[in-house]
Structure formats: C-alpha cells, structure tokens
Amino acid sequence: MGVITLTRHNLPNGTTVGIADLPLACCALEVLSVKRSLPTSEASPDFLILFISGTITHRVSDYVIDQISEFKKLLPELHHRVIAIGACAISGGPYWDSPTVVPGIQSLGIEIDGYLPGCPPTPSMIMSILSDSMAST
C-alpha cells in the first residue's frame, strides 16, 4: 500500500509544485516517471497536487480518505488539488464489478479536483494535468 510523500519539482514554466502520490496500483508507475523527469527543487512550492493512482479497494478506502485529509493539512496556505489518475481510481476500471473494489473514488464522498482517464494515462497526459492545475491556481 502506498505512502504519501511530498516532493518539490520545477515545472518547465518555472513554477514549483509539491507533488504527492498515493500509489495504489500500476498507474503509479506513470506518475513516478513524471516525477523523475522533472528537476527537483529546494524552493517553496506554489501549489500542491496529490495524485491518487490505482485501484481502490474497500479494505483501503478508510486509509485513502485519511491520507487525503492529511494531504489537505500540509502547508494550509497553499492551493491543494486532488487528481484521480487512471480508470481504476476514477471508476474501478476493469474491476468495477468486483465486490472488493470501490467503483470510483467519488463514491467515497471525496471531493476530487480533476480526473485523468486512461489505462494507464501516459506521462505526457500527467504533465498536461500538472500544467492545467498550475493555470487554475
């Protein structure tokens, strides 16, 4: 099960973003690819973004809710965005009808700021949502 860590990265436009990831399954690899492609920064972030990537099961749903709550407490003076990455986080993906799988993060009553579909979404799609998030802050 994933653990949220916040890393600071410089985006191509010079903005610094704090990226956190709750890596629950395979889409986490694409998020990791994006994080590794961006230069790290020592600067204070301009905004924070949390990627929820992967299948959410009923067994981990309370953990997911708790981690999102903890994320929103980090640096409260900054704008926070929570993004569901991939078909599984958005709708349960190919496992939507499994009795153990949550049929999408919104069914947990969590406010999500954006959805990035795909199985998996490409790193370039993740970069686009980073740019879009920066523009909306």
Side-chain angles (χ1 to χ4, degrees):
M1 186 171 347
V3 174
I4 292 180
T5 57
L6 184 66
T7 55
R8 294 172 292 197
H9 298 274
N10 291 323
L11 296 180
N13 67 358
T15 302
T16 300
V17 59
I19 301 176
D21 181 28
L22 185 55
L24 299 171
C26 44
C27 284
L29 295 175
E30 278 66 32
V31 173
L32 179 61
S33 174
V34 168
K35 288 171 62 174
R36 290 196 178 199
S37 73
L38 293 170
T40 57
S41 174
E42 295 299 320
S44 295
D46 298 302
F47 69 100
L48 303 178
I49 191 163
L50 171 62
F51 292 122
I52 308 292
S53 51
T55 309
I56 303 167
T57 63
H58 292 288
R59 185 173 185 142
V60 300
S61 61
D62 287 340
Y63 174 79
V64 170
I65 292 167
D66 291 344
Q67 291 299 297
I68 292 171
S69 176
E70 289 300 312
F71 168 73
K72 291 183 176 183
K73 293 176 188 175
L74 293 173
L75 302 168
E77 68 278 9
L78 296 179
H79 184 72
H80 293 66
R81 299 197 31 100
V82 177
I83 308 295
I85 299 288
C88 291
I90 294 171
S91 66
Y95 315 108
W96 66 271
D97 61 347
S98 170
T100 61
V101 172
V102 172
I105 195 165
Q106 73 285 348
S107 67
L108 297 177
I110 297 170
E111 184 177 329
I112 300 298
D113 299 301
Y115 298 90
L116 186 59
C119 187
T122 64
S124 63
M125 293 169 67
I126 297 169
M127 281 298 296
S128 292
I129 207 161
L130 275 172
S131 297
D132 293 347
S133 294
M134 188 271 315
S136 67
T137 56

